[in-house]
Amino acid sequence: MKLASHDKSSSLLPRRRFLMGTAGLIGATALPVPAWAKGVSMQHAAKGFGTMSGEDIRLDIQNSHYSTGGRSGHAQTVNGSVPGPLIRLKQGQNVRLHVTNHLEEDSSIHWHGLLLPFQFDGVPGVSFPGIKPHETFTYEFPIRQAGTYWWHSHSGLQEQAGLYGPLVIEASDGSDARFDRDYIVLLSEFTPVHPHEIMRKLKVGEHYFNRQMQSATDGNMSGDERRMWGAMRMNPRDVSDVTGSTYTFLMNGHGPADDLEYLFKPGERVRLRIINGSAMTFFNMRIPGVPMTVIQADGQDVLNHEVDELQIGVAETYDVVVTPPDGSHALVAEAMDRSGMAIASLTSHPGHKATAPALRETPTLTMADMGMGMEMGAMAGMSGMDGMDHGAMGHGQMGGGTMDHSKMSHSMRDTSILPEDVATGPGVDMVSPMPVDRMDYPGLGLENVGHRVLRYTDLRAKRANPVRAIEREIELHLTGNMERYMWSFDGRKYAAVKDDPIRFGFDERVRVTLVNDTMMAHPIHLHGHFFEIVNGAEQTRQPRKHTLVVQPGGKAAFDLTADEPGDWAFHCHLLYHMHAGMMQVVTVRPFPA
Ligand SMILES: [Cu+2]
């Protein structure tokens, strides 16, 4: 056992050695020690990342140790850092990525948002067998696109442990040179709790991580409202599955205590490539006093749109351009449930730290989040009413009528209203009685913040899409049992549908409508394609995305030209939802199969 070199107190050495030896002995005989902890001296992970470029890139996956702000624990790293390296490529080049797995378990890397042959997409069990311990797999493909993307493990819960990093592809037309600075803002979480322990706790107790619950004697709800939520066995503060009580929120691998700094000179145009590489957290991104011009969504150019704040779902990316005035500005990524934030200083004065804004109040779910969009008019006086989107409300039932709580509770459990092909059973404990399109919803807690917030309905593709008529429409339900932590598509968890993929004919044009029968937002990601989200724009201007957030109790649609043959993963990008079964395989091949 090698002692840390900074420990100069020689009198402590013998005792230290003795204690460590004993601990090792006990560990080996009495406790199930994970393979990575057995006599391995783990490297301490670097925070932040280096850059890898060129045609041959080597990536080494290994166990490490990470700490920030008084929390520390096990991490899994690529090339020794959290996040792993920035992979910076050029549109039109070829790349070979040689990935060596030094773990004692299978691993993989998936290139999130990239168009490529499906056998190099990196999803074990779908596109390839995975990378066995101590083996190397070489991914090889041409780079057909440009923009901001990321990469992450698609094995188990390794992504939560640190196996993720940014991926940027420079456009071949030279357009990336129009900015003075080009920065990555990669958002994620660190947890000292092992990811498998988080999964176990989510299974045994729904509210284990949520310390913001309104109890019956707490908060400002009326007795009537409390009885209503109680009758539905739901809680309006049930916003996130895992919160800041467990997570430290990171920006480029740095916690709030690490004082991350982005430098600029006054007058410069600064591009921020915002990537939500977290496992479970939606973030509200803002720079108080500095407007942001959105120029890209999910790596695809959009028409310039200026906002003061945007909510970014897990696995999404947004590129924004800012021209900050002289001074130090807080670059704030507040967790959607307001349980913490990732933060850095965007400053023209090196070493000068920006003042962090206070966390805002935890937002509260509304009836719209329960799929009662059209009935909200009857809910006058309910908690959260002030923040509601009145545009989405029906106007026929306004007027403060009495509401029948038992009837409402019953309608949310009424699985008979689901289409026949949705499996019902213990995996489905809620349905949305009246799901409405919520594409104009800015995200939970941002309905009434008093400044401009990005909505999906603001996005317009910069390059026009080819005009294609819809040939087929399908509807999929996002289903779950919150208390048992079961998540699925159409009531069937992934293991049960492996042999029954969603089939698209090659080049088929399909409209897919996703109906969210749960009270959580799900960021739904399709591998290997871009779809166009149906956001009210004319078809040629519908923005192309790889991930679509379907708001609670709402529905959302995308148009897809299925022109990438192969088997592709299609799943919720909340890591523990995917792990619990909210995943499917999409197969694209010539008909008849
Ligand atoms: Cu989900």
Short mmCIF file of all heavy atoms in Angstrom, two decimals, residues 522 572 574 577 582, ligand 1:
data_model
loop_
_atom_site.label_atom_id
_atom_site.label_comp_id
_atom_site.label_asym_id
_atom_site.label_seq_id
_atom_site.Cartn_x
_atom_site.Cartn_y
_atom_site.Cartn_z
N HIS A 522 -40.54 13.08 -19.81
CA HIS A 522 -39.62 12.06 -20.30
C HIS A 522 -38.92 12.56 -21.55
O HIS A 522 -39.57 12.87 -22.54
CB HIS A 522 -40.36 10.75 -20.62
CG HIS A 522 -41.07 10.17 -19.45
ND1 HIS A 522 -40.43 9.46 -18.46
CD2 HIS A 522 -42.37 10.20 -19.09
CE1 HIS A 522 -41.31 9.07 -17.55
NE2 HIS A 522 -42.50 9.52 -17.90
N CYS A 572 -36.39 6.40 -23.13
CA CYS A 572 -36.34 7.55 -22.25
C CYS A 572 -34.88 7.73 -21.81
O CYS A 572 -34.21 6.77 -21.44
CB CYS A 572 -37.22 7.32 -21.02
SG CYS A 572 -37.11 8.68 -19.83
N LEU A 574 -33.87 9.40 -19.20
CA LEU A 574 -33.63 9.38 -17.75
C LEU A 574 -33.06 7.99 -17.46
O LEU A 574 -33.70 6.97 -17.73
CB LEU A 574 -34.94 9.62 -16.98
CG LEU A 574 -35.59 11.00 -17.22
CD1 LEU A 574 -36.87 11.12 -16.41
CD2 LEU A 574 -34.64 12.12 -16.89
N HIS A 577 -35.03 5.39 -15.59
CA HIS A 577 -36.26 5.01 -16.30
C HIS A 577 -35.92 4.00 -17.39
O HIS A 577 -36.61 2.99 -17.57
CB HIS A 577 -36.93 6.23 -16.94
CG HIS A 577 -37.59 7.14 -15.95
ND1 HIS A 577 -38.49 8.10 -16.32
CD2 HIS A 577 -37.46 7.23 -14.61
CE1 HIS A 577 -38.90 8.76 -15.24
NE2 HIS A 577 -38.28 8.24 -14.19
N MET A 582 -38.10 1.56 -19.75
CA MET A 582 -38.68 2.49 -20.72
C MET A 582 -37.77 2.59 -21.94
O MET A 582 -37.08 3.58 -22.17
CB MET A 582 -38.87 3.86 -20.06
CG MET A 582 -39.92 4.72 -20.74
SD MET A 582 -40.18 6.22 -19.79
CE MET A 582 -41.95 6.35 -19.83
CU CU B 1 -38.53 8.65 -18.41
#
